[in-house]
Amino acid sequence: MIRQRTLKSVVKATGVGLHGGRKVNLVLRPAAPDNGIVFHRVDLDPPLDLPADPYAVCDTRMCSGLEKGGQKVGTVEHLMSALAGLGIDNLHVDVDAPEIPILDGSSGPFVFLLQSAGIEEQKAPKRFLRVKKPVEYHEGDKWVRLEPYEGFRLDFSIVFNHPAIDSTSTSVSIDFATHSYIRDIARARTFGFMQDVEFMRANGLALGGSLENAIVMDEYRVLNADGLRYADEFVKHKVLDAIGDLYLCGHPLLAAYSAHKSGHALNNQILRVLLEDKSAWEIVSFEQDAATPAAVTHQFAADVLAAA
């Protein structure tokens, strides 16, 4: 049986918020089966619970955030991506600020935290959201699509018209029947342009952004002294974001995702399009090993999740 997962122990981290620029304390705690991923703003009195929910998503310009009662927790996508990649179904996320710390701009530090706490299988079957028929969403020349697939595959292409990005691969296909989230995706960092950073700071955004937590480019080149972590790091970070955005539906997907120039807003829209068509999806679990698709077995295999 493919089982639900949580953490074995509590783990803590401190970092800076990308947009607010303030210190953020983060605590990840185990949760019971079928609890899901729940964020807790512990700096509020009383503390506010914000469960992962595509209908609670707000402010998708620069990140994916959740909002409830006028209060927010932003920049959840990198942590959500790590949780999806490691198959964590149930978790309490305590945060004392309006956003999750950016750490190094990838999901790699979150993967390290989760592995440090230990991953525990629970006595409940993992519940997947299986896409039963194609759905898509278009916005100008941008589009995103979900199709039936007995596993999880993502195909992504980007267009930025920038020499540093155009010199790398601008499309990628990741199939977790063969790829490893930790090896192939987790270390891809967010990226931005110096002129945009200056504009955002003037408008009170990206106050915590630096070469320590993002790939930064001027008009011609990457400014980070250590260069890129992957030859196709830019498009891989878009895949990392998409995995986190899609996991806000509350379940791992059995689907093929494909997108062109998509971002947080379109990723959220495709979830809403899917969920609003009851004939397009179903919740399934695999309680007999023989019924489990081979791609799913590989995706959540212990050796794949322990990959360096």
Side-chain angles (χ1 to χ4, degrees):
M1 180 171 73
I2 301 292
R3 299 176 184 272
Q4 293 181 32
R5 291 173 175 161
T6 190
L7 298 186
K8 289 181 179 178
S9 62
V10 174
V11 66
K12 302 177 181 180
T14 300
V16 65
L18 176 61
H19 295 298
R22 59 175 280 193
K23 178 181 175 182
V24 183
N25 294 300
L26 180 73
V27 179
L28 308 179
R29 298 185 286 117
D34 297 317
N35 179 87
I37 311 300
V38 182
F39 294 84
H40 306 279
R41 281 285 305 277
V42 296
D43 56 317
L44 302 176
D45 187 16
L48 181 68
D49 301 339
L50 296 101
D53 177 357
Y55 290 98
V57 169
C58 66
D59 198 14
T60 53
R61 293 170 301 159
M62 304 301 302
C63 68
S64 285
L66 300 170
E67 182 174 10
K68 181 179 177 182
Q71 299 289 347
K72 300 177 182 179
V73 57
T75 323
V76 303
E77 63 274 11
H78 299 170
L79 174 57
M80 290 298 297
S81 187
L83 296 174
L86 295 185
I88 306 295
D89 303 271
N90 306 301
L91 192 69
H92 294 292
V93 181
D94 297 341
V95 61
D96 65 352
E99 60 182 323
I100 300 299
I102 191 64
L103 301 182
D104 80 342
S106 76
S107 64
F110 293 114
V111 167
F112 175 79
L113 283 171
L114 297 167
Q115 290 183 319
S116 297
I119 297 170
E120 180 173 270
E121 289 199 337
Q122 299 175 287
K123 295 180 179 179
K126 187 182 291 287
R127 301 167 72 225
F128 296 82
L129 195 157
R130 173 191 271 154
V131 173
K132 295 172 61 179
K133 71 178 188 182
V135 294
E136 57 186 59
Y137 181 83
H138 293 258
E139 195 172 276
D141 64 342
K142 305 173 184 178
W143 57 265
V144 58
R145 180 182 301 123
L146 288 170
E147 300 174 89
Y149 187 67
E150 286 299 284
F152 189 33
R153 189 183 75 221
L154 301 99
D155 296 278
F156 209 113
S157 60
I158 58 175
V159 177
F160 274 96
N161 192 29
H162 186 282
I165 297 178
D166 292 344
S167 66
T168 71
S169 298
T170 55
S171 63
V172 70
S173 181
I174 297 291
D175 190 332
F176 289 110
T178 54
H179 289 93
S180 158
Y181 177 86
I182 297 173
R183 183 187 65 235
D184 299 318
I185 296 294
R187 297 179 66 247
R189 293 162 294 175
T190 193
F191 57 92
F193 308 101
M194 183 60 73
Q195 60 269 30
D196 293 341
V197 170
E198 292 168 353
F199 174 81
M200 287 189 291
R201 284 180 176 170
N203 287 273
L205 294 172
L207 299 178
S210 73
L211 292 169
E212 301 300 316
N213 55 40
I215 305 169
V216 181
M217 292 162 283
D218 62 13
E219 295 179 4
Y220 307 104
R221 67 193 189 282
V222 170
L223 299 179
N224 304 64
D226 57 350
L228 299 179
R229 295 175 174 177
Y230 303 103
D232 51 359
E233 187 169 1
F234 299 107
V235 69
K236 277 190 172 176
H237 185 78
K238 300 293 283 185
V239 170
L240 184 155
D241 278 348
I243 291 169
D245 290 341
L246 295 173
Y247 201 41
L248 287 166
C249 75
H251 301 283
L253 290 178
L254 294 178
Y257 163 98
S258 52
H260 178 65
K261 298 175 66 175
S262 183
H264 302 301
L266 266 68
N267 292 335
N268 182 247
Q269 287 295 334
I270 195 62
L271 281 184
R272 296 184 184 216
V273 170
L274 173 69
L275 295 174
E276 286 163 15
D277 183 350
K278 301 293 188 185
S279 68
W281 59 276
E282 62 182 348
I283 300 295
V284 299
S285 59
F286 302 104
E287 300 190 38
Q288 301 297 324
D289 289 345
T292 307
V296 173
T297 300
H298 177 270
Q299 182 177 353
F300 297 107
D303 59 334
V304 173
L305 297 182

